[in-house]
Amino acid sequence: MKLYRFITHQDNSEFCMRITKLLNNGWKLHGNPTLTFNGKTPIAGQALVKKVKGEKFSDNIDLKEY
């Protein structure tokens, strides 16, 4: 099964650490990062994917477990 996540947060070290943690847990970057401005702060976004063997799709998947 292939999992997909899109992470958004203020463009700061906390966002970078979230992405770094996911990369070190087997997630891979998917596409280019995005950057927008909400009127106060820049907001970054990054899509990630991960292949998980032996799992079947379910509407109840908790992506934070992976």
Side-chain angles (χ1 to χ4, degrees), residues 7-22 42 44-46 48:
I7 306 298
T8 60
H9 196 275
Q10 290 181 13
D11 185 20
N12 58 22
S13 62
E14 185 178 335
F15 173 78
C16 293
M17 288 303 293
R18 286 179 71 190
I19 299 300
T20 299
K21 181 179 178 181
L22 290 167
Q46 177 64 58
L48 298 109

Side-chain angles (χ1 to χ4, degrees), residues 30-52:
H30 182 74
N32 295 323
T34 61
L35 188 64
T36 190
F37 186 70
N38 69 1
K40 293 172 88 176
T41 58
I43 304 296
Q46 177 64 58
L48 298 109
V49 293
K50 182 176 184 178
K51 289 183 181 178
V52 180

